[in-house]
Amino acid sequence: MTKWIADWRPDDQAFWASTGKKVARRNLIFSILAEHLGFTVWTLWSIVAAKMGNYSFTTDQLFWLVALPNLVGSALRLPYTFGPARFGGRNFTVVSALLLLIPAILLGVAVGNPGTPYWLFLVIAATAGFGGGNFASSMANITYFYPQARQGSALGLNAAGGNIGVSSVQLVMPLVIGGLGLAAAGWFWVPFIVVAAVCAWLFMDNLTGAKASPREQIAVAGKAQTWIMSFLYIGTFGSFIGYSTAFPLLSKSLFPGSPWAAVAFVGPMLGSLIRPIGGWLSDRMGGAPVTLWNFAAMGGGVGLVWLGVSSGNFWLFFLAFQLLFVTAGIGNGSTYRMIPAIFLATAPDAATGKKQASAAIGIISAIGAFGGFLINRAFGMSFASTGSPASALAAFALFYVACFALTWWCYVRAVGPSLAHARV
């Protein structure tokens, strides 16, 4: 039987204390579980591609296998944003979790057959994009469950719980593949996916008040703030997911004798765990100042990565990348803290503001995730043309300069009231 809650008033303190808090926490826990598995499936190919030594694929071809899930996942985030409001958060979580079985099973079958052609690997890698869409639906859904005063921490926990799925893949998969073979990279996740779907069905809820038509939600695409924040989110989340998925293959290509498989998980773990700190800092200092100086640090991090590459020192390269992961995580938290503040402050009422913020989160997260595709393709093309990542790193540094300038121009200098709210 479909579980719909009609009376939901999280901003009513009495309701929140007596009923809302417990229900919201339960939905958050199982939302995190499903989203975590979404990220694991989405980023599986970051390890699989680096372990395909028995296939005669070029470095550029392997980067395509890593990049395609990011491309498809970013595109799916738009329709996934509208899923909870159209079908109910609990219902959509069940369906989106079960869809993860497709890329997991196909991967297990394909790598178990040594005759699988490259084009089929591209198709299977693209289906891993289902996992990328889960983030948008999960975040849009959880937005409705929590009062405005608790949005930052709730969204931060939900996002961090999902993001750390990248670290889970890069910690567990080298061990699983080493012990059971490459096909196990897909089969390993099947029982966990089934458990997540069953738990969502049994323990999550749909909110009647969260229903909205796609036409209502897509209206936020006409707002300048949506596109400004989307550009900035390419620089933060796009960097996080792009560097997370690129690091194993990049490390293997540059330092083939290094222990990259043993340490690849560290960066995504740091970036995920520190994401709530970005929101916490923004609550106290303002989202815009934190985002501004964070982009400056990211530009410096790219310079240090190049220093590690040019020196041939894996550990300098590794430590420089950790700076990029940490700053990307902080930036994820600070930019996400800015989004609801902007839309709630400019909407005619709180209900409309929540719906606009929920829709904007989905659009911004979709465009931001596209950065993961761009980073992997930049590395692939850089290797194909020059044999090194130098041109890709130069492009990233210039992009962070542009993000710094845009943040300062739109949100830090003295501006009109519609954009100044991002300071909140």
Side-chain angles (χ1 to χ4, degrees):
M1 185 174 67
T2 304
K3 294 169 60 180
W4 288 91
I5 296 177
D7 181 23
W8 188 252
R9 294 170 281 113
D11 289 298
D12 180 329
Q13 292 186 4
F15 175 85
W16 178 253
S18 63
T19 304
K21 184 177 181 180
K22 180 174 66 175
V23 173
R25 183 188 295 119
R26 172 164 45 80
N27 278 269
L28 176 61
I29 289 170
F30 293 103
S31 173
I32 289 173
L33 174 61
E35 189 194 344
H36 181 92
L37 287 167
F39 268 86
T40 62
V41 171
W42 191 24
T43 56
L44 266 177
W45 283 88
S46 67
I47 294 296
V48 172
K51 291 287 187 178
M52 297 180 75
N54 293 332
Y55 296 85
S56 56
F57 299 149
T58 66
T59 300
D60 189 35
Q61 286 178 311
L62 292 173
F63 268 115
W64 264 114
L65 293 175
V66 179
L68 270 180
N70 289 324
L71 177 64
V72 175
S74 62
L76 286 178
R77 284 186 171 196
L78 281 174
Y80 270 54
T81 297
F82 308 136
R86 177 67 180 84
F87 302 105
R90 171 242 197 180
N91 297 347
F92 198 78
T93 301
V94 172
V95 173
S96 61
L98 290 175
L99 285 173
L100 301 177
L101 291 171
I102 296 173
I105 293 172
L106 288 179
L107 171 60
V109 172
V111 297
N113 180 2
T116 302
Y118 178 69
W119 68 265
L120 186 54
F121 276 125
L122 288 173
V123 172
I124 295 170
T127 67
F130 283 129
N134 285 19
F135 178 83
S137 58
S138 180
M139 295 292 275
N141 182 46
I142 292 302
T143 298
Y144 290 109
F145 276 94
Y146 280 83
Q148 170 57 18
R150 301 174 188 268
Q151 291 267 319
S153 58
L155 292 176
L157 287 171
N158 195 52
N163 289 176
I164 207 168
V166 185
S167 183
S168 296
V169 162
Q170 295 180 349
L171 174 63
V172 173
M173 282 298 96
L175 301 175
V176 171
I177 293 170
L180 301 174
L182 198 55
W187 297 115
F188 178 84
W189 299 104
V190 169
F192 295 100
I193 293 168
V194 172
V195 168
V198 170
C199 287
W201 179 258
L202 294 175
F203 303 118
M204 292 185 70
D205 303 287
N206 303 310
L207 297 179
T208 302
K211 290 187 71 66
S213 70
R215 185 184 297 274
E216 287 181 275
Q217 293 180 293
I218 205 67
V220 298
K223 294 181 176 291
Q225 295 94 326
T226 301
W227 297 102
I228 295 169
M229 292 305 302
S230 294
F231 188 87
L232 299 181
Y233 203 56
I234 290 175
T236 57
F237 180 77
S239 294
F240 170 79
I241 198 66
Y243 293 144
S244 295
T245 51
F247 182 82
L249 183 55
L250 183 64
S251 299
K252 183 181 179 182
S253 300
L254 293 171
F255 305 96
S258 68
W260 62 267
V263 297
F265 76 96
V266 175
M269 180 180 67
L270 290 175
S272 302
L273 293 177
I274 206 167
R275 180 171 182 152
I277 303 299
W280 177 81
L281 287 171
S282 299
D283 285 341
R284 285 149 182 79
M285 301 169 60
V290 172
T291 301
L292 179 77
W293 294 110
N294 195 67
F295 278 127
M298 293 184 79
V302 170
L304 290 175
V305 168
W306 172 243
L307 184 61
V309 172
S310 59
S311 69
N313 187 321
F314 172 74
W315 292 110
L316 176 57
F317 168 82
F318 171 77
L319 291 174
F321 247 104
Q322 303 321 295
L323 174 60
L324 286 177
F325 282 120
V326 167
T327 51
I330 290 173
N332 286 340
S334 65
T335 49
Y336 248 69
R337 181 63 186 91
M338 293 165 70
I339 297 167
I342 292 170
F343 288 93
L344 285 168
T346 56
D349 55 72
T352 301
K354 277 201 170 186
K355 289 182 179 181
Q356 288 183 347
S358 175
I361 281 172
I363 293 173
I364 292 165
S365 73
I367 297 171
F370 188 66
F373 171 77
L374 295 175
I375 283 177
N376 280 284
R377 287 309 309 136
F379 279 132
M381 290 187 292
S382 185
F383 272 100
S385 60
T386 68
S388 86
S391 57
L393 292 172
F396 302 155
L398 289 174
F399 183 77
Y400 296 141
V401 170
C403 289
F404 180 94
L406 185 64
T407 304
W408 178 83
W409 181 263
C410 294
Y411 298 119
V412 176
R413 71 187 183 100
V415 294
S418 64
L419 294 182
H421 288 298
R423 295 171 174 271
V424 176

